Amino acid sequence: MNADSTASAPAVATRCTDLVYLTDVPGVCVGEEMQECLTVQEADRMIADGTIEGGIVAKMESAFEAVRGSVSRVHITCWEGSETYGRLLNRSSDTGTIIEK
């Protein structure tokens, strides 16, 4: 079982506003460029055409399920220390990618 694939269900069920995926990369990169924010439609298209591939795809697909449910934003980023969650939720972090409707 892939934890990325199952994370969206409890977030939707508990009506979380934000879901955070911590990974070993700072967010979703297209080539050398970090994507600050993507809609589900944009990201889905990038997966379909192979622009986004590999291990991040499972996180993205789970993010889509969460956003299509009740979750407002999904953050994909790396751990930056004990202040990571606060900066993400206050949108004061300059790393990571946010997936929104």
mmCIF file of all heavy atoms in Angstrom, residues 28-30 43 46-58 60:
data_model
loop_
_atom_site.group_PDB
_atom_site.id
_atom_site.type_symbol
_atom_site.label_atom_id
_atom_site.label_comp_id
_atom_site.label_asym_id
_atom_site.label_seq_id
_atom_site.Cartn_x
_atom_site.Cartn_y
_atom_site.Cartn_z
ATOM 1 N N VAL A 28 7.093 20.386 -6.954
ATOM 2 C CA VAL A 28 6.961 19.836 -8.304
ATOM 3 C C VAL A 28 7.790 20.690 -9.252
ATOM 4 O O VAL A 28 7.560 21.894 -9.386
ATOM 5 C CB VAL A 28 5.483 19.822 -8.756
ATOM 6 C CG1 VAL A 28 5.363 19.291 -10.172
ATOM 7 C CG2 VAL A 28 4.644 18.990 -7.795
ATOM 8 N N CYS A 29 8.760 20.055 -9.893
ATOM 9 C CA CYS A 29 9.615 20.752 -10.854
ATOM 10 C C CYS A 29 9.246 20.328 -12.267
ATOM 11 O O CYS A 29 8.979 19.153 -12.525
ATOM 12 C CB CYS A 29 11.079 20.423 -10.606
ATOM 13 S SG CYS A 29 11.718 21.126 -9.099
ATOM 14 N N VAL A 30 9.231 21.292 -13.148
ATOM 15 C CA VAL A 30 9.077 21.031 -14.580
ATOM 16 C C VAL A 30 10.365 21.520 -15.202
ATOM 17 O O VAL A 30 10.626 22.720 -15.222
ATOM 18 C CB VAL A 30 7.844 21.754 -15.161
ATOM 19 C CG1 VAL A 30 7.800 21.592 -16.664
ATOM 20 C CG2 VAL A 30 6.574 21.225 -14.515
ATOM 21 N N ALA A 43 -2.020 20.167 -13.699
ATOM 22 C CA ALA A 43 -1.156 19.073 -13.266
ATOM 23 C C ALA A 43 -1.545 17.756 -13.929
ATOM 24 O O ALA A 43 -0.673 16.983 -14.336
ATOM 25 C CB ALA A 43 -1.208 18.945 -11.747
ATOM 26 N N MET A 46 -0.135 17.696 -17.332
ATOM 27 C CA MET A 46 1.317 17.494 -17.305
ATOM 28 C C MET A 46 1.683 16.037 -17.042
ATOM 29 O O MET A 46 2.686 15.551 -17.555
ATOM 30 C CB MET A 46 1.961 18.397 -16.259
ATOM 31 C CG MET A 46 1.935 19.851 -16.620
ATOM 32 S SD MET A 46 2.666 20.819 -15.273
ATOM 33 C CE MET A 46 2.761 22.417 -16.032
ATOM 34 N N ILE A 47 0.878 15.352 -16.260
ATOM 35 C CA ILE A 47 1.104 13.917 -16.045
ATOM 36 C C ILE A 47 0.804 13.166 -17.336
ATOM 37 O O ILE A 47 1.573 12.308 -17.764
ATOM 38 C CB ILE A 47 0.258 13.386 -14.877
ATOM 39 C CG1 ILE A 47 0.780 13.948 -13.554
ATOM 40 C CG2 ILE A 47 0.259 11.857 -14.842
ATOM 41 C CD1 ILE A 47 -0.110 13.681 -12.364
ATOM 42 N N ALA A 48 -0.310 13.498 -17.964
ATOM 43 C CA ALA A 48 -0.718 12.812 -19.195
ATOM 44 C C ALA A 48 0.317 12.965 -20.311
ATOM 45 O O ALA A 48 0.566 12.020 -21.066
ATOM 46 C CB ALA A 48 -2.080 13.326 -19.666
ATOM 47 N N ASP A 49 0.943 14.142 -20.411
ATOM 48 C CA ASP A 49 1.908 14.340 -21.497
ATOM 49 C C ASP A 49 3.344 13.995 -21.094
ATOM 50 O O ASP A 49 4.280 14.169 -21.864
ATOM 51 C CB ASP A 49 1.809 15.752 -22.082
ATOM 52 C CG ASP A 49 2.336 16.858 -21.177
ATOM 53 O OD1 ASP A 49 3.041 16.574 -20.184
ATOM 54 O OD2 ASP A 49 2.035 18.032 -21.473
ATOM 55 N N GLY A 50 3.528 13.492 -19.846
ATOM 56 C CA GLY A 50 4.845 13.044 -19.409
ATOM 57 C C GLY A 50 5.737 14.133 -18.842
ATOM 58 O O GLY A 50 6.886 13.874 -18.494
ATOM 59 N N THR A 51 5.240 15.356 -18.734
ATOM 60 C CA THR A 51 6.023 16.445 -18.161
ATOM 61 C C THR A 51 6.300 16.184 -16.682
ATOM 62 O O THR A 51 7.393 16.445 -16.188
ATOM 63 C CB THR A 51 5.283 17.792 -18.327
ATOM 64 O OG1 THR A 51 5.029 18.005 -19.714
ATOM 65 C CG2 THR A 51 6.082 18.946 -17.780
ATOM 66 N N ILE A 52 5.294 15.675 -15.970
ATOM 67 C CA ILE A 52 5.458 15.258 -14.576
ATOM 68 C C ILE A 52 5.439 13.739 -14.575
ATOM 69 O O ILE A 52 4.502 13.131 -15.107
ATOM 70 C CB ILE A 52 4.324 15.811 -13.685
ATOM 71 C CG1 ILE A 52 4.373 17.342 -13.637
ATOM 72 C CG2 ILE A 52 4.418 15.219 -12.279
ATOM 73 C CD1 ILE A 52 3.206 17.968 -12.891
ATOM 74 N N GLU A 53 6.476 13.139 -13.995
ATOM 75 C CA GLU A 53 6.570 11.680 -14.005
ATOM 76 C C GLU A 53 7.290 11.180 -12.759
ATOM 77 O O GLU A 53 7.736 11.958 -11.929
ATOM 78 C CB GLU A 53 7.313 11.221 -15.266
ATOM 79 C CG GLU A 53 8.726 11.753 -15.366
ATOM 80 C CD GLU A 53 9.423 11.366 -16.658
ATOM 81 O OE1 GLU A 53 8.797 10.735 -17.510
ATOM 82 O OE2 GLU A 53 10.603 11.699 -16.784
ATOM 83 N N GLY A 54 7.357 9.889 -12.630
ATOM 84 C CA GLY A 54 8.079 9.282 -11.530
ATOM 85 C C GLY A 54 7.297 9.250 -10.234
ATOM 86 O O GLY A 54 6.064 9.242 -10.223
ATOM 87 N N GLY A 55 8.016 9.293 -9.138
ATOM 88 C CA GLY A 55 7.432 9.130 -7.814
ATOM 89 C C GLY A 55 6.452 10.212 -7.401
ATOM 90 O O GLY A 55 5.593 9.983 -6.553
ATOM 91 N N ILE A 56 6.550 11.380 -8.007
ATOM 92 C CA ILE A 56 5.652 12.475 -7.629
ATOM 93 C C ILE A 56 4.233 12.230 -8.148
ATOM 94 O O ILE A 56 3.276 12.811 -7.630
ATOM 95 C CB ILE A 56 6.218 13.829 -8.129
ATOM 96 C CG1 ILE A 56 5.600 15.007 -7.376
ATOM 97 C CG2 ILE A 56 6.031 13.997 -9.617
ATOM 98 C CD1 ILE A 56 6.140 15.224 -6.028
ATOM 99 N N VAL A 57 4.066 11.350 -9.119
ATOM 100 C CA VAL A 57 2.744 11.106 -9.715
ATOM 101 C C VAL A 57 1.752 10.579 -8.673
ATOM 102 O O VAL A 57 0.604 11.029 -8.630
ATOM 103 C CB VAL A 57 2.839 10.167 -10.932
ATOM 104 C CG1 VAL A 57 1.457 9.765 -11.430
ATOM 105 C CG2 VAL A 57 3.629 10.838 -12.053
ATOM 106 N N ALA A 58 2.163 9.662 -7.815
ATOM 107 C CA ALA A 58 1.255 9.136 -6.781
ATOM 108 C C ALA A 58 0.800 10.246 -5.842
ATOM 109 O O ALA A 58 -0.374 10.308 -5.469
ATOM 110 C CB ALA A 58 1.926 8.017 -5.989
ATOM 111 N N MET A 60 0.599 13.427 -6.621
ATOM 112 C CA MET A 60 -0.283 14.294 -7.403
ATOM 113 C C MET A 60 -1.683 13.686 -7.518
ATOM 114 O O MET A 60 -2.676 14.384 -7.326
ATOM 115 C CB MET A 60 0.295 14.543 -8.791
ATOM 116 C CG MET A 60 1.637 15.231 -8.793
ATOM 117 S SD MET A 60 1.578 16.873 -8.088
ATOM 118 C CE MET A 60 0.792 17.738 -9.413
#
